[in-house]
């Protein structure tokens, strides 16, 4: 499903890329949206977390090995005295002070191997992990598919708004020439003032149409920016020979 969806987006992007004007194509816009869209990023994080659940559940069924060790070092010091009689005075005094140092080191280690024979809850945990992985994978693919639809819709909304603005500009230019001609013909007395007023009304309506088209274009560009986090100066338009194959 992922490969087919990605291939479909790539084919559309390549078809758009055949336009002579260079701009961001649909595939590039989608790749930017994947990095920015919080829904896809959340689904991907949940998918990665679910993938870790299965190895952890399987590890509980495998042999468990634990190793440990300790190293001990001890130092001891002592002093010893022995009595001696002073031949001059006859007094008993302590002489022969001696320091003794004893250093000893030893270590030990332990190793333990355990194996669970059968635990029903651990097998159920492993089975549940498989379901969690499958669910997270399906949610991630669904989020990708949904993002493709949203990006495509807003991408083509921008292109449609650009075409609408171009048509509105052309209409304004036509009514501007018509108004200019009407004013000149009125000056020489060929038409009545009502014809000039009608031309002026049509010109004003065309001007309002251009303003509305600019606002619609700005709104559609902002909606696309919400998905990608980027602003695009131009987008690639469909080429004349863009293939429109039926989905398989």
């Amino acid at each position: 499903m992922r490969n087919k969806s990605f291939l479909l987006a790539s084919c559309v992007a390549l078809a758009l890329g055949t336009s002579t004007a260079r701009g961001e194509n649909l595939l590039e816009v989608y790749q930017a949206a994947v990095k920015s869209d919080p829904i896809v990023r959340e689904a991907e994080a949940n998918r990665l977390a679910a993938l870790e659940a299965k190895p952890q559940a399987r590890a509980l069924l495998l042999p468990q090995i634990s190793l440990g060790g300790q190293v001990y070092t001890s130092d001891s010091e002592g002093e010893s005295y022995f009595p001696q009689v002073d031949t001059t005075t006859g007094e008993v005094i302590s002489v022969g002070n001696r320091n003794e140092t004893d250093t000893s080191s030893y270590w030990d280690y332990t190793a333990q191997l355990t194996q669970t024979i059968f635990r029903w809850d651990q097998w159920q945990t492993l089975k549940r992990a498989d379901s969690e992985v499958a669910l997270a994978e399906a949610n991630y693919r669904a989020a990708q598919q949904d993002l493709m639809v949203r990006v495509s819709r807003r991408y083509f909304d921008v292109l449609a708004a650009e075409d609408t603005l171009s048509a509105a500009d052309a209409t304004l230019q036509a009514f501007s020439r018509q108004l200019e001609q009407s004013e000149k013909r009125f000056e020489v007395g060929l038409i009545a003032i009502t014809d000039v007023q009608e031309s002026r009304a049509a010109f004003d309506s065309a001007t309002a149409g251009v303003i509305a088209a600019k606002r619609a274009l700005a709104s559609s560009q902002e909606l696309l920016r919400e998905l990608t986090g980027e602003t695009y100066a131009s987008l690639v338009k469909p080429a004349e020979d863009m293939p429109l194959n039926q989905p398989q």
Side-chain angles (χ1 to χ4, degrees):
M1 180 64 70
R2 178 187 181 187
N3 293 336
K4 292 182 180 179
S5 302
F6 189 79
L7 180 60
L8 176 60
S10 301
C11 292
V12 174
L14 290 175
L16 294 174
T18 56
S19 175
T20 55
R22 180 66 181 98
E24 302 294 332
N25 59 37
L26 180 57
L27 180 58
E28 293 170 339
V29 174
Y30 170 74
Q31 291 173 342
V34 169
K35 300 177 181 178
S36 176
D37 186 67
I39 298 178
V40 172
R41 293 178 64 87
E42 180 184 2
E44 183 179 7
N46 293 335
R47 170 178 171 269
L48 295 177
L51 290 176
E52 293 297 327
K54 186 173 182 179
Q56 293 175 2
R58 186 187 297 111
L60 298 176
L61 302 174
L62 300 176
Q64 307 293 319
I65 301 176
S66 60
L67 299 175
Q70 293 179 329
V71 177
Y72 302 91
T73 301
S74 62
D75 298 328
S76 60
E77 296 181 358
E79 296 180 355
S80 60
Y81 302 88
F82 57 93
Q84 184 175 354
V85 178
D86 189 347
T87 58
T88 305
T89 61
E91 296 180 354
V92 178
I93 59 175
S94 297
V95 296
N97 186 15
R98 183 179 59 183
N99 292 328
E100 296 180 356
T101 301
D102 184 17
T103 301
S104 60
S105 300
Y106 61 95
W107 59 278
D108 60 34
Y109 64 91
T110 59
Q112 184 178 8
L113 173 65
T114 59
Q115 171 64 61
T116 301
I117 302 302
F118 178 78
R119 283 190 57 176
W120 176 252
D121 60 330
Q122 292 180 354
W123 284 100
Q124 289 299 109
T125 301
L126 179 60
K127 184 178 180 181
R128 185 171 61 253
D130 290 333
S131 300
E132 292 175 354
V133 170
L135 178 60
E137 188 72 24
N139 290 336
Y140 178 61
R141 303 306 175 196
Q144 284 185 319
Q145 297 288 336
D146 177 71
L147 181 60
M148 288 182 183
V149 174
R150 288 185 287 133
V151 170
S152 300
R153 181 183 295 115
R154 297 187 183 186
Y155 183 96
F156 288 108
D157 284 345
V158 173
L159 295 182
E162 291 177 349
D163 292 339
T164 301
L165 179 59
S166 298
D169 284 333
T171 301
L172 178 61
Q173 293 177 6
F175 282 115
S176 177
R177 289 192 297 267
Q178 180 180 349
L179 176 60
E180 182 180 357
Q181 293 174 359
S182 297
E183 290 175 345
K184 290 182 179 180
R185 295 179 67 186
F186 174 74
E187 291 175 359
V188 297
L190 296 178
I191 59 174
I193 188 60
T194 54
D195 295 331
V196 177
Q197 293 175 347
E198 290 178 357
S199 298
R200 183 172 289 108
F203 173 79
D204 293 340
S205 178
T207 302
V210 171
I211 296 175
K214 289 182 178 180
R215 290 179 178 176
L217 176 59
S219 298
S220 60
Q221 289 175 337
E222 177 63 21
L223 290 176
L224 183 61
R225 189 193 66 81
E226 289 180 355
L227 290 180
T228 62
E230 300 181 9
T231 301
Y232 301 100
S234 62
L235 298 176
V236 177
K237 296 183 178 181
E240 295 295 334
D241 57 347
M242 175 179 174
L244 297 178
N245 299 327
Q246 294 184 353
Q248 302 296 326

